[in-house]
Amino acid sequence: MASPHYLPPLRQVAVCGGTHGNEMSGVYLAKHWLRDPSELQRSTFHATVFMSNPRAVEKCVRYIGRDLNRMFTADILNSKGSDADVYEVQRAQEINQIFGPKGSCQAYDFMFDLHNTTANMGSCLIVKSEHSLLPMHMCSYIQKHYTVSPCPIFVYLLPGEESNGVALELGPQPQGVVRADLLAQMRSIVACGLDFIELFNKGTLFPAFEIEAYKLVGRMDYPRYPDGEISAVIHPNLQDKDFQPLKPGDPIFQTLSGDDILYEGDDITYPVFINEAAYYEKKCAFIMTEKHTSSQPALQREL
Ligand SMILES: [Zn+2]
């Protein structure tokens, strides 16, 4: 048997809600945990709760000036120009200071980032890369131990972004609305992830495994009139079919005169974030993924 990959223990864990101020499971959980964080604590690490974008939360909007999700690049974190007037740019710089510039000794070791989507994503786990060994082991642990609903993994690599953790993306939930069922799911999945960290810190050997994940391969915009207005809506056959195979020739949009628009790709794709409300302005009707199985080596805390 190959020897396990050794990683240092995780001592500082952050749990963030309200990165988008109208995604309410994370907002309500973070508000609750800011009052009483006891359920997040374990014996081997310290968990800190954090409201990422408090002004957006106060106004119940996704963001004030710009999407905080896209702010954690070296360029923006170091920007001092006109960008620096945007609230989310200031906030990203503050967060980077609080959580410690990556590599510094006060840096947090792991972050849970809590999101909701209007798409039918279920209990989706988002990791930056299949090569993020500890997050992939955590996802596998959650898939095994949290059995209320499936937890598909979406691999979403944005070049230049700093990320060391797992994001939860639960849906469908309308923006500005909190549903008790999704809130409970999110709470249980965070607890499961924290249990994994505790076991890892205590020296548990996590064996090698193979795991399936959905990797981003592209984005599909809505059909548009020459003036840029959207000319068709998500096809009823595609609505809510996140993570299900979409074949060449399947309908994806329907015009208001009732014509179907078909998927013209060459290969089967697995659409996700279908009809996500926040993505209309990003010119994205859904994200296309491919299903990919990767082999993960065994993992253990370094001694
Ligand atoms: Zn979000």
Side-chain angles (χ1 to χ4, degrees), residues 184-239:
Q185 284 177 33
M186 185 174 275
R187 191 174 197 166
S188 301
I189 292 169
V190 170
C192 195
L194 294 169
D195 291 344
F196 166 82
I197 295 174
E198 176 83 343
L199 289 170
F200 168 74
N201 283 346
K202 286 181 167 172
T204 303
L205 171 66
F206 295 95
F209 59 93
E210 293 207 327
I211 194 162
E212 194 172 78
Y214 296 83
K215 293 175 77 169
L216 184 150
V217 291
R219 293 174 180 78
M220 178 71 73
D221 188 13
Y222 290 90
R224 291 174 186 276
Y225 294 112
D227 66 2
E229 285 258 23
I230 289 173
S231 62
V233 301
I234 295 287
H235 196 281
N237 290 5
L238 181 62
Q239 180 66 48

Side-chain angles (χ1 to χ4, degrees), residues 18-23 62 67 69 113-117 168-169 273 276 278-279:
T19 299
H20 296 131
N22 56 8
E23 298 178 357
R62 184 176 176 89
D67 199 326
N69 235 6
D113 193 9
L114 309 181
H115 293 258
N116 292 114
T117 168
L168 309 187
E169 191 68 79
F273 287 104
E276 161 56 43
Y279 289 177

Side-chain angles (χ1 to χ4, degrees), residues 20 26 54 77 86 88 95-96 104 163 178 184 193 212 219 238 251 278 285:
H20 296 131
L77 291 175
V86 177
E88 278 80 8
I95 291 170
N96 193 47
S104 67
S163 144
V178 58
E212 194 172 78
R219 293 174 180 78
L238 181 62

Side-chain angles (χ1 to χ4, degrees), residues 137-181:
H137 269 269
M138 179 184 286
C139 289
S140 168
Y141 182 87
I142 291 170
Q143 287 182 340
K144 279 204 194 78
H145 293 87
Y146 177 77
T147 52
V148 174
S149 62
C151 298
I153 301 167
F154 175 44
V155 178
Y156 185 43
L157 184 59
L158 285 181
E161 277 198 40
E162 296 292 322
S163 144
N164 182 28
V166 167
L168 309 187
E169 191 68 79
L170 271 63
Q173 178 169 274
Q175 297 180 333
V177 168
V178 58
R179 291 176 50 128
D181 53 352

Side-chain angles (χ1 to χ4, degrees), residues 244-265:
Q244 295 184 31
L246 177 71
K247 300 186 296 297
D250 286 346
I252 49 176
F253 298 109
Q254 196 164 62
T255 68
L256 275 80
S257 31
D259 294 323
D260 289 350
I261 295 173
L262 310 180
Y263 175 57
E264 290 177 351

